[in-house]
Amino acid sequence: MRHLTFDPAAFRWAGVEERAYKPPDPSAPRGMDWRDVTRHRLGHPDELGMGFELRYFELGPGGYSSLEKHAHVHLVVAVRGAGRALVGDRVVDLAPLDALYVPALTPHRWANEGADPFGFLCTVDADRDRPVPLDDDEWDALRADPVTAPYAH
Ligand code: MN
């Protein structure tokens, strides 16, 4: 067994290192940039012999993830602070223990517009395709809607 103890004051799990969300990429395609996101691996197939991975992501104030899509799905559970998610043509607010499912090939981006950290747990398949940027039609539709436009940047 493996037991990762949680420190509520630090909001961190003992022995779980903080990793970069993705490798820095100054030439990232449109929308694929990101800001102030850390990744914490709570369970990885290589270590635990399972078919999925469980990560904790945290966005600092003003942070956002890349605007991406992929064939694999996400199931996300917010656990810290307040955040916002663009999923498809919708923008939703996330509070602790809200659960959010992101279907296959659906554009998505997480954002923290508050003053405190926003964190969520996220599962993904062990074997999965790489995220890709939105195509022009998807991008233009997000830009044309005042609700979603702020998240297409
Ligand atoms: Mn994703």
Side-chain angles (χ1 to χ4, degrees):
M1 66 93 84
R2 186 172 82 174
H3 177 204
L4 301 174
T5 58
F6 181 70
D7 176 355
F11 216 98
R12 291 290 182 268
W13 289 264
V16 176
E17 65 180 289
E18 186 170 296
R19 300 164 187 263
Y21 169 55
K22 293 176 182 177
D25 180 6
S27 63
R30 178 185 63 186
M32 294 293 279
D33 63 312
W34 51 276
R35 176 189 293 169
D36 197 359
V37 184
T38 58
R39 179 168 60 98
H40 310 251
R41 179 191 283 183
L42 298 186
H44 191 272
D46 291 348
E47 302 161 352
L48 303 177
M50 57 201 188
F52 67 97
E53 185 174 343
L54 176 62
R55 300 85 53 85
Y56 171 69
F57 290 104
E58 195 171 274
L59 281 60
Y64 54 85
S65 63
S66 58
L67 175 56
E68 63 182 33
K69 62 178 182 175
H70 37 68
H72 63 275
V73 305
H74 290 308
L75 181 58
V76 163
V77 178
V79 291
R80 183 181 198 187
R84 197 157 274 171
L86 167 71
V87 180
D89 59 2
R90 302 270 312 279
V91 176
V92 297
D93 290 320
L94 293 175
L97 299 186
D98 281 4
L100 180 68
Y101 170 70
V102 179
L105 299 174
T106 305
H108 55 281
R109 166 170 262 169
W110 321 107
N112 180 359
E113 296 165 13
D116 300 311
F118 164 56
F120 57 91
L121 301 172
C122 179
T123 58
V124 281
D125 291 337
D127 294 319
R128 58 185 184 271
D129 59 320
R130 293 185 63 81
V132 295
L134 309 198
D135 60 35
D136 288 342
D137 288 346
E138 292 167 324
W139 182 271
D140 293 345
L142 291 179
R143 294 294 309 168
D145 181 340
V147 173
T148 55
Y151 303 95
H153 57 78

